[in-house]
Amino acid sequence: MTRYIRHAAAFCALLLVALLVNAARVQLLLAETYRDNPANRRDTIARYHQPRGDILVAGRPVTGSRDTAEHLRYERTYRDGPLYAPVTGFASQEYGTTLLEHTEDALLSGTDPVLAPLPLWNEFTRSRNAGGDVETTIHPAAQRAAYEGLRSRKGAVAAVEPATGRILALVSLPSYDPELLSGNGETARTAWQRLNADPDKPLLNRAVRQTYPPGSTFKVITAAAALEAGVAGDLDEPTDSPDPYVLPGTTTRLTNGARGCEDASLREAFTLSCNTVFAKLGVRTGLKDMASTAHAFGFNDEDLRIPFPVARSTFDTTVDRAQLALASIGQYNTRATPLQMAMVAAAVASGGQVREPYLVERTTRASGGTVSSGGSRPVRRAMQPGTAMRLQQLMRGVVEKGTGERAAIPGAVVGGKTGTAQHGLGNSGTPYAWFVGWAQDRSDIQPRVAVAVVVEDAAANRREISGGGTAAPIARSVMEAVLEP
């Protein structure tokens, strides 16, 4: 009998060893395989088992969390979702995350190691820290002014603070409600299919991910390049420019939309937005200096993050002289995001310095303690202060007695540049209306806001579209919102 007991005990011990070996094999050798298996929902369930941290605008949450009492317990909610969608993006149980919800996901979901006071203890207990909060630089009144200014038209607005690079407004229309995508049921799937099938692309963030021909707003950069290179000097000296201007090496005649451009001074040409003057000026300045100045303003930069990536604005460095003439008036292959053009206006406003824009003021723990701060970004010089001062004069002239009069604000100093950009095969597309500018109260030492507006109004009559008539009033309302005490 004893012998049978010994055999049974030995067999049980063997089974126990086999179980321990198998458990060790699973835990040590196969852990990653099981963890990454699509059928394993433990991480997903844990991820949504607690409320997500919030994204804040002026200290007020524009996001929240709703308890669904399901396995994936908490769904994301949004306050004024369409208004702030170009800032927040969406956080979906089914379709992942975008924009700030994506770049700040580790902090918002509580998985960022910086949130763990005792990392080893969290690893041992498999516990998760409460999600942190993200405080943005957005100015709520400016954001709403931009949104309501665009109304039902397609387009985008970007506004920055020249002295720091803080992004004050980021609007893209048409927009969407991110809350519709938060869950994993039929509502989310239907909304996802509808939004992706919409030809107006409401999920596209036009302010930072779409590039447009900047049209005459690019003449700010052409003027800066010519002044820096010494090709232009006195703002009131005649430029010896014909009207029309025959593009070098071709028989193509470039004309103007305004009269009085023949032999116009730089000041007159900027105010009237003379294509012939600036096309010839770009050719005289030369490709090397034009490309160098465009690059100094931020064109051809592939690494801009705010913190999510911004599409590269482009100035072609392989053009011939005829193509350079067109590129110098914001046509041909020249492309820019609205945020890039707001940076151009900000560089003029800040005396020639370009500060990288940023969207996150600071991040905090759920308890309120600061995790990180945004602060002012690195500075580079796009042009000399003297050149910037002369461009400020030119831009003030556009608003005071030129095509940008509808951007004027009583009691404020406003500078701007309008643009109407052609596009499409043979310029058949409805033109884009542009305005870039800056504003300061008369008591301010320097401008407080720089803005860029682009409107894609495909339903409008071509003759009724202009930067001064369509885009400038929107810019004015945004600048007014920032300047209001």
Side-chain angles (χ1 to χ4, degrees), residues 268-332:
E268 292 170 333
F270 199 87
T271 303
L272 296 172
S273 199
C274 298
N275 289 332
T276 51
V277 173
F278 282 92
K280 183 179 178 182
L281 204 59
V283 173
R284 288 180 60 203
T285 302
L287 179 58
K288 180 180 178 182
D289 286 331
M290 282 294 301
S292 176
T293 302
H295 180 72
F297 274 97
F299 281 75
N300 298 330
D301 182 359
E302 298 181 351
D303 301 320
L304 183 60
R305 302 286 187 275
I306 63 170
F308 45 82
V310 177
R312 181 172 69 104
S313 297
T314 58
F315 182 83
D316 196 336
T317 59
T318 63
V319 293
D320 60 27
R321 283 163 49 87
Q323 294 163 344
L324 176 60
L326 295 176
S328 299
I329 59 172
Q331 298 290 166
Y332 191 59

Side-chain angles (χ1 to χ4, degrees), residues 155-171:
V157 179
V160 300
E161 186 176 68
T164 62
R166 297 170 71 244
I167 295 175
L168 303 177
L170 208 62
V171 168

Side-chain angles (χ1 to χ4, degrees), residues 154-155 172-176 194-207 209-210 212 456:
K154 283 194 293 185
S172 174
L173 283 180
S175 189
Y176 67 101
R194 174 177 56 80
L195 290 170
N196 279 281
D198 191 329
D200 287 335
K201 300 180 179 179
L203 292 174
L204 173 64
N205 189 339
R206 288 172 163 81
R209 295 301 304 165
Q210 178 72 17
Y212 302 86
E456 316 173 38

Side-chain angles (χ1 to χ4, degrees), residues 65 109 158 195 268 277 320 322 342-343 383 397 425:
S65 296
S109 64
L195 290 170
E268 292 170 333
V277 173
D320 60 27
M343 291 169 61
M383 56 190 154
L425 184 62

